[in-house]
Amino acid sequence: MITPVPGPLTQPIVDRDVRYLATGTKGSPVAVKWGRGVRFEDVDGNLYLDFTNGMVAGTGHCHPKVVKAIQEQAEKFLFFNGPDFYYEIQGLIAEQLCQLAPGAHDKKVFLSNSGAEANEAAIKLTRSGTNRKQFIAFLGAFHGRTMGALSLTGSKVVQRESFFPMLPGVTHLPFAYCYRCAYGMKEETCGMWCAHILEDLYFQRLIPAEEVAAVFMEPQQGEGGYVVPPKAFVQAIQAICRKYGILFVADEVQAGFGKTGRLFAIEHFDVVPDIINLGKAIASGLPLGATIFRSELDFPKQGRHSNTYGGNPIAVAAALATIEAIKEEKMLENARERGASFKEGLQRLQGEFEPIGDVRGLGLMLAIELVLDRESKIPAKEMRDKVIDLCCERGLLLLPCGTSAIRFTPAIVVTREEIDLGLEILRGAIRDAMKT
Ligand SMILES: Cc1ncc(COP(=O)(O)O)c(C=O)c1O
């Protein structure tokens, strides 16, 4: 690091952004000049490790195979009227996704531009495919910000306030967040009450099960805190879905495409969903969403659902190259191995620092949750923010999640040395944040 953060060349970029861009979710004042793998340089010449970008550019910044595929496609055609006519790579990516996704059933794909749009398509498919109108989602879930997807989102009030009314018929249940069980139970003895409550109470007192079209679930919650539910929870929810003819939708927009060490996060739970939604990492940073669904749910008529840019040729070329790179470079293995050693490193820090209340996550989708003390578990939000700021000043870019957690989602090409360096910076930042 050669300047303070923000540096003199970054500051005007931040200022212009604040002046002219709609208020969004921006955090650390960092402006990128170029990026490769998990490293990038900011406009002031500071070099960083990026432990945030893996959830989108899963193969790392500017993976050479992805860049080449984009360049080659850009030479051929940038856009062709995909909704109305044909080009080969749209069918090819859909075919590959159907073959790769869990389950031997026939599948089809709706291609879109974002995670929210993938969820919107799933809302329509499940409504029209079941002729039912209600949905179940979970507290802590993030499914996007368009009105349909937002109705399913239950992560933070700020995301919903002032936008009511939402889509009617969405009921949120507490998620299996065992570190902070909403029912005050212990995983060893709870019998997965947080799943069975759906059948035993909600379907008896509140919602007719036969009116529920779908349950939407993130196999590992993202924005809500990188919460991994027990396998028994996910399986119990799916069993209830099967019993009542309810569709199970896995929103893998954040957890999918390799980050958890499996191509699809739901594979960790031995559950075959009826629909899988993808976004973010699927095209290594280009806008692409995909809704992979049982063929029998397909829209019965031309014109019921479509869009302009979904499956645009540049993003699709990037997605095909992404799949190839993940396979050829054994990135899933890397996510598993590097993820395991990263998690061990975080657990060592937990042994050293009282405020690390919980270490969790699958593969390279990891988090620590900071608390004032381990007994009360009061979220240490200020300390969490301080740690992120200190890491940023020292060249490690991080993002928060949940109430007081920090997420670590480096690209799945990250090396052992990069993880060790990241852990060292994190260690110093927690130590110093505890002094203030
Ligand atoms: C699980 C999940 N679903 C959906 C979305 C929405 O995706 P997008 O921002 O591309 O609309 C996100 C974004 O963070 C997400 O994490």
Side-chain angles (χ1 to χ4, degrees), residues 72-94:
E72 285 175 3
Q73 179 55 45
E75 292 287 337
K76 294 181 195 157
F77 57 99
L78 289 176
F79 178 76
F80 189 71
N81 201 344
D84 297 317
F85 308 110
Y86 299 86
Y87 45 90
E88 189 180 19
I89 55 175
Q90 271 200 337
L92 285 179
I93 189 68

Side-chain angles (χ1 to χ4, degrees), residues 274-354:
D274 301 294
I275 295 185
I276 300 182
N277 293 328
L278 295 168
K280 295 193 192 289
I282 178 177
S284 291
L286 269 76
L288 186 67
T291 308
I292 310 172
F293 57 92
R294 284 186 179 279
S295 297
E296 66 259 30
L297 296 171
D298 196 10
F299 300 110
K301 287 184 191 160
Q302 281 259 27
R304 245 197 210 166
H305 192 55
S306 183
N307 57 15
T308 297
Y309 275 120
N312 77 84
I314 304 291
V316 166
L320 286 167
T322 299
I323 294 174
E324 208 177 291
I326 289 175
K327 274 192 207 150
E328 282 179 9
E329 296 173 30
K330 299 197 181 339
M331 289 187 199
L332 298 182
E333 288 86 332
N334 194 57
R336 288 197 286 270
E337 283 163 25
R338 297 287 82 76
S341 61
F342 196 173
K343 197 171 190 180
E344 278 166 28
L346 293 172
Q347 282 160 343
R348 278 197 300 278
L349 293 184
Q350 187 180 28
E352 202 175 331
F353 298 117
E354 163 85 8

